[in-house]
Amino acid sequence: MSERIDYSAFVTRDKEGCAQLDLAIDGITCAACIREIEQGVAGPGIAHARLNYTNKRLHLVFDAAMDGDGHETAPVDPGLAVTRLHKLGYKAYPFTRSREEEIEAAQTSDLLKRLGVAAFATMNIMLLSVSVWSGNVADIDTETRDLFHWISALIAIPTVAYSGQPFFRGALRSLKARALGMDVPISLGVLLAVGISIVETMNSARHAYFDAATMLLTFLLAGRVLDQIMRKKTRAVAGNLLALRGETARRIDADGGVTEIPILGVRTGDLLQIRPGDRVPVDGVVVTGLSDVDASLVTGETAREPVGEGAQLHSGTLNLTGALTLRAAAAAENSLVAEVNKLLDQALMAKSRYVQIADRAAQLYAPVVHAAAALTLIGWLLVGADLHFAVITAVAVLIITCPCALGLAVPAVQVVVSGALFRSGVLLTAGDGVERIAACDTVVFDKTGTLTTPEARLVNRGALDDAMVALAGRLGQSSNHPLARALARDGAAGAPFDDVVEEPGRGVRAIVDGIEARLGSPDFCDAQDAVACALSDEPDATPIVLRHGGRVAVLLLRQVLRADAGDVVADLKRCGLKVMIVSGDREGPVRRAAEALGIADWHAGCKPGDKTAILARLAGEGRRVLMVGDGLNDAPALAAAHASISPITASHLAQNCADALALGDRLRPVAEAVALSRKALMIMRQNLWLSTVYNLIAVPIAVLGYVTPLIAAVAMSGSSVIVTLNAVRARSAGREAHAGTAAISAPAATHARSQATTMLTAAPAVTSTEAAS
């Protein structure tokens, strides 16, 4: 009786209710596997299959049978995809991080062993080959040459049989699927080189090509090992986000007992015990306890932060001094860390235009390689060459034209630049985002929440008494008004007062030291004259009044420019980009922001339709616009622009319309995105040209018979190494363009994302006109 594995527990549903499954695939060896797997899996029951070559993960969307009312008439069958993959020769597992890491570690270890054997064999065979080459010039006797050739054969044959298995298995899978992947010409070239060398040795010929076969395998295996290491390093920052949560959590049960459970078993509302030295497993709110925490992995700030009841903590935060009881605000799979990781995976799964070009070229290239080799063999036989020379020349053509370099040309750059962008604080959400950002020549900024901070800040603190500011902050903690909350955050408030009474729309009041204290509107605090005087210096600010007995303080709050906005605008101008502001705010605040940043072209009072009209006009002038905005009214402009970036604090609609998210509280990631994207696009084009020029030069030389299999192996492997090394240059673009600027830590995304709701509720209350901006 056959055993059936139930994969239904691993099936998830998206917002539309479509069934999805992620599978970790074992056996992927090259970019040609992408098309083979995606086409082989697609079919009845599966609506969509997308393979992420970066992390060897297959994302499936099932095509469920529906009745007339839109309900599923039969459950989806996730085992269908696994069966189809098995027929193609691939093993698949429901994706879990531990399984993926085990597979990757085993694959790397296996490749390193095979590389070591191939390299050791190549060195020994080359020593023998050098002796034969020298002897052929100095009249070596036939017996000695044959002995050296047979020793080379004894080393090469088992080496090829062992070290060549990754390529032979890939070739067999391709042939079973009636496809021609890159492993097919590699395997043919290696086997023909060994076969011809054996025949040559048996006939006491002057030349054998065992060194070519083992050297080719050595270079190819080295390339695959380096490729795996590069991909692992590129994914390290994003992968560590999930690792920060830990593997288990300590749940407090209803009877007061504590149970250690897997982190995936945590559900919203669970009470968790966080001991000193523990990392917070999921996002949550402190219910009881006082402690100091280290949130540097989350916020990037190294200073210890005191927390108590009501404090929000995020997964990855390290608890230092006291025990805390935390109420889980989100399940592990729905935490902000997991959401950021999903966005990164989404960007990596999407294929850009240049990746599609390279994929198509590589797919067409394998048949062309075989055809070129066959025509070379036939052509030399027709012109009267002997069979030996014709076969040797055909093998050289087969090896030298292998499309490995072309297959790596763009994906290698995309992998490197995605990691570099993420480390610089930019999270790609579109597969072709790099190419479109690089093509932009104009940057259009929204003002409120983009050039300025999304939350209001206290701007006249220097003119206020510290005791009054602290009092206002403690009162503000008991208010539901967003400006009062902003004041509480900015005023370094202590614990809130007891018995605080809030009058909706007016303010809060409490008895402090036997005297009534009020915080709220000018009318509520009877301070109209004091407010008018304070606003004369800050006409764009919004006042909150504190009255404690006979003492009155007017606290002015407004949004301020981000700390690095001026430097970023200057950097963009130095890159040759035209910079503009298009805002829905009033003319005065927009003009002052533009003057402070040195931006001559600005537009105020713009509605959503006005913003899209301005972008349409710029497009009509031949400009490609990079739109940077965060508000709900920016979404149409973000979608209409050639490329778009939103801060991580943006509304969800704005994020969905953007090609990239800028992580953290600074504007620097926008300039980093431009610099990295431009260099990445240049390197993509360079790699495609390098691959093309290499073949235009190498193929005719090989067809004319001037290249031996050994030289062909060195040339082909060298072209792949050059393309890969050139791709690595994309990592340094941000550092070159902005030397001395510290990059934001990638995990800061979780903290910035978690503050989005609070920030967005505070921002609209600054002024009535800024609310729409």
Side-chain angles (χ1 to χ4, degrees), residues 29-30 53-54 56 221-235 408 411-412 415 724:
T29 56
C30 67
Y53 181 57
T54 302
K56 309 296 191 295
L221 287 169
R224 290 202 174 175
V225 170
L226 290 173
D227 181 59
Q228 279 209 325
I229 292 173
M230 180 182 69
R231 291 176 186 276
K232 183 178 180 179
K233 286 184 177 180
T234 301
R235 298 197 313 268
L408 288 171
V415 169
T724 302

Side-chain angles (χ1 to χ4, degrees), residues 122-244:
T122 299
M123 288 188 290
N124 285 278
I125 294 174
M126 285 302 297
L127 288 174
L128 296 169
S129 298
V130 169
S131 301
V132 172
W133 299 339
S134 302
N136 284 335
V137 178
D139 295 327
I140 187 175
D141 60 89
T142 303
E143 292 78 10
T144 303
R145 183 172 59 215
D146 289 347
L147 175 62
F148 283 7
H149 280 168
W150 279 117
I151 295 174
S152 297
L154 290 175
I155 299 172
I157 292 172
T159 298
V160 169
Y162 174 71
S163 297
Q165 285 184 29
F167 308 102
F168 301 153
R169 287 196 296 261
L172 286 174
R173 281 196 298 267
S174 296
L175 293 175
K176 285 180 180 179
R178 297 182 181 180
L180 290 176
M182 288 189 228
D183 287 335
V184 175
I186 290 173
S187 300
L188 274 177
V190 170
L191 293 175
L192 285 174
V194 172
I196 291 171
S197 299
I198 293 173
V199 173
E200 295 286 83
T201 301
M202 293 174 64
N203 294 329
S204 299
R206 290 169 58 88
H207 299 286
Y209 305 101
F210 297 112
D211 46 7
T214 57
M215 182 176 288
L216 177 61
L217 287 177
T218 300
F219 275 112
L220 291 171
L221 287 169
R224 290 202 174 175
V225 170
L226 290 173
D227 181 59
Q228 279 209 325
I229 292 173
M230 180 182 69
R231 291 176 186 276
K232 183 178 180 179
K233 286 184 177 180
T234 301
R235 298 197 313 268
V237 175
N240 284 341
L241 287 175
L242 292 179
L244 292 177

Side-chain angles (χ1 to χ4, degrees), residues 172-506:
L172 286 174
R173 281 196 298 267
S174 296
L175 293 175
K176 285 180 180 179
R178 297 182 181 180
L180 290 176
M182 288 189 228
D183 287 335
V184 175
I186 290 173
S187 300
L188 274 177
V190 170
L191 293 175
L192 285 174
V194 172
I196 291 171
S197 299
I198 293 173
V199 173
E200 295 286 83
T201 301
M202 293 174 64
N203 294 329
S204 299
R206 290 169 58 88
H207 299 286
Y209 305 101
F210 297 112
D211 46 7
T214 57
M215 182 176 288
L216 177 61
L217 287 177
T218 300
F219 275 112
L220 291 171
L221 287 169
R224 290 202 174 175
V225 170
L226 290 173
D227 181 59
Q228 279 209 325
I229 292 173
M230 180 182 69
R231 291 176 186 276
K232 183 178 180 179
K233 286 184 177 180
T234 301
R235 298 197 313 268
V237 175
N240 284 341
L241 287 175
L242 292 179
L244 292 177
R245 303 176 307 182
E247 295 297 330
T248 61
R250 296 173 60 83
R251 184 182 63 196
I252 301 175
D253 301 324
D255 59 1
V258 177
T259 304
E260 189 166 359
I261 61 173
I263 189 172
L264 293 178
V266 177
R267 294 292 176 261
T268 302
D270 284 353
L271 288 178
L272 306 176
Q273 183 187 74
I274 313 296
R275 299 170 301 181
D278 287 350
R279 287 202 179 274
V280 176
V282 297
D283 304 336
V285 178
V286 176
V287 178
T288 61
L290 294 172
S291 182
D292 290 335
V293 299
D294 176 4
S296 58
L297 290 174
V298 179
T299 65
E301 297 293 336
T302 57
R304 292 185 176 189
E305 178 183 347
V307 296
E309 182 180 346
Q312 293 184 349
L313 298 181
H314 308 284
S315 53
T317 299
L318 179 63
N319 185 27
L320 296 173
T321 55
L324 299 173
T325 300
L326 187 80
R327 186 176 299 281
E333 62 272 19
N334 296 324
S335 69
L336 301 173
V337 172
E339 185 176 349
V340 170
N341 196 67
K342 289 176 184 176
L343 286 171
L344 184 63
D345 284 343
Q346 175 185 332
L348 290 173
M349 283 185 182
K351 292 186 179 181
S352 71
R353 183 171 63 90
Y354 278 89
V355 171
Q356 293 170 354
I357 292 173
D359 284 351
R360 286 197 298 268
Q363 292 154 12
L364 294 172
Y365 211 62
V368 172
V369 168
H370 294 87
L375 289 174
T376 300
L377 174 64
I378 295 170
W380 278 109
L381 291 175
L382 290 177
V383 298
D386 61 273
L387 180 62
H388 169 268
F389 179 80
V391 172
I392 291 295
T393 305
V395 170
V397 171
L398 193 64
I399 294 173
I400 207 168
T401 55
C402 180
C404 291
L406 186 61
L408 288 171
V410 177
V413 179
Q414 191 179 47
V415 169
V416 172
V417 78
S418 294
L421 283 168
F422 195 67
R423 286 188 294 273
S424 296
V426 180
L427 179 63
L428 286 175
T429 59
D432 59 348
V434 168
E435 296 159 26
R436 288 194 278 116
I437 291 172
C440 292
D441 54 18
T442 303
V443 181
V444 173
F445 284 103
D446 174 47
K447 184 186 77 71
T448 308
T450 303
L451 289 172
T452 65
T453 55
E455 75 279 9
R457 297 284 177 84
L458 182 62
V459 295
N460 67 330
R461 182 164 186 160
L464 300 172
D465 180 72
D466 289 342
M468 293 293 280
V469 173
L471 176 59
R474 294 180 67 183
L475 285 170
Q477 292 186 73
S478 301
S479 173
N480 291 317
H481 194 280
L483 279 183
R485 294 287 182 86
L487 180 61
R489 287 194 305 272
D490 214 27
F497 292 111
D498 296 326
D499 301 323
V500 177
V501 177
E502 181 168 15
E503 297 186 18
R506 302 191 67 200

